[in-house]
Amino acid sequence: MTVKAVLFDLDGTLIDSTEAIVDCFYHTFDVIRAPRPLREQIVSTISLTLENQFATLTDHDPAECARIYREKYFRIGPAMTTLLEGAASILERCHVEGVRTGFVTSKLRAASELLLENLAVLHYFEARIGPEDVVHPKPHPEPLLKALDHLNLEPGVAVYLGDTPLDVQAARAAGIRCAALTTGYASQEQLQAENPHMICANLAQAADWLAEIGAWTR
């Protein structure tokens, strides 16, 4: 079936804001006067919503932690975030080929738009879904289905590119084909265990896969 839309996760799939995330977590734990978690503990939670990350890492009020975190993240995030290799190319290819695009992320939509605007790629995204737009975040299918509803498309003509087991689980639940990238926060073994349609080492391989399934010709 023809691919009419490609939906993207952000962190670990299209962008790298790891250092900003870790720095803001450290800042938050310093403010609440709690021991900083290990960097590895923080990174392992990045696929969750921010409140759920804090609920995993501390007994302190997750909402208060998220407020402290976001106050700093909105200030430092744009300057500390970069596009992953091939991100601009795959977005431009989608645009040229008439394939519609959107992002579906656990990062606050407003923060995502700020980062993507700074990276000069926000204009590519017709559908923009963050955790504030849904009742049930990933791995529930609601975020992906809401993006498709915005595009007025059925799951069978869309694909999702993500980098964590939660992304694959959400895509499967939504009935959307999924490619999992090893550029982010999960190992190839962890991704393979979720049986995505494809595992890609980078966005160039993801673009090749999109050609193979009919998004565009090579």
Side-chain angles (χ1 to χ4, degrees):
M1 189 175 292
T2 301
V3 176
K4 295 183 178 180
V6 179
L7 303 176
F8 296 89
D9 176 54
L10 292 182
D11 283 298
T13 301
L14 284 180
I15 65 173
D16 182 3
S17 62
T18 306
E19 297 311 313
I21 291 170
V22 171
D23 189 69
C24 290
F25 267 96
Y26 286 164
H27 167 75
T28 303
F29 277 83
D30 290 347
V31 170
I32 66 173
R33 299 188 178 185
R36 291 180 174 184
L38 297 174
R39 175 189 172 89
E40 291 76 16
Q41 292 175 295
I42 296 169
V43 171
S44 71
T45 66
I46 285 178
S47 60
L48 303 173
T49 64
L50 187 58
E51 288 79 4
N52 284 338
Q53 285 182 272
F54 279 111
T56 300
L57 297 169
T58 179
D59 292 330
H60 200 86
D61 178 23
E64 175 66 8
C65 290
R67 183 193 65 77
I68 296 168
Y69 172 102
R70 286 178 175 133
E71 190 278 331
K72 182 167 187 179
Y73 189 80
F74 272 83
R75 288 190 288 109
I76 73 168
M80 297 181 68
T81 300
T82 59
L83 286 174
L84 291 177
E85 184 176 357
S89 296
I90 198 170
L91 290 169
E92 177 62 17
R93 185 68 185 271
C94 287
H95 173 71
V96 169
E97 298 287 347
V99 177
R100 301 165 78 185
T101 54
F103 67 72
V104 179
T105 177
S106 296
K107 187 191 298 292
L108 203 68
R109 172 170 41 81
S112 301
E113 291 174 336
L114 180 67
L115 300 181
L116 295 170
E117 178 68 26
N118 188 63
L119 294 166
V121 294
L122 179 60
H123 63 282
Y124 287 112
F125 298 97
E126 186 176 347
R128 305 171 184 180
I129 305 297
E132 70 268 48
D133 299 309
V134 297
V135 176
H136 307 291
K138 297 181 293 185
H140 197 280
E142 183 186 355
L144 287 168
L145 293 175
K146 187 155 190 175
L148 291 181
D149 185 62
H150 179 84
L151 298 172
N152 196 29
L153 294 174
E154 296 298 320
V157 297
V159 298
Y160 186 46
L161 304 186
D163 68 292
T164 71
L166 293 185
D167 293 323
V168 182
Q169 292 163 16
R172 182 188 306 112
I176 297 173
R177 287 170 288 181
C178 179
L181 284 86
T182 60
T183 50
Y185 304 107
S187 68
Q188 181 166 337
E189 291 73 23
Q190 289 172 314
L191 296 171
Q192 188 65 61
E194 300 297 333
N195 295 312
H197 293 82
M198 185 68 179
I199 293 181
C200 303
N202 49 51
L203 286 165
Q205 287 189 5
D208 288 342
W209 178 68
L210 289 172
E212 290 172 4
I213 63 173
W216 52 65
T217 57
R218 293 183 183 274

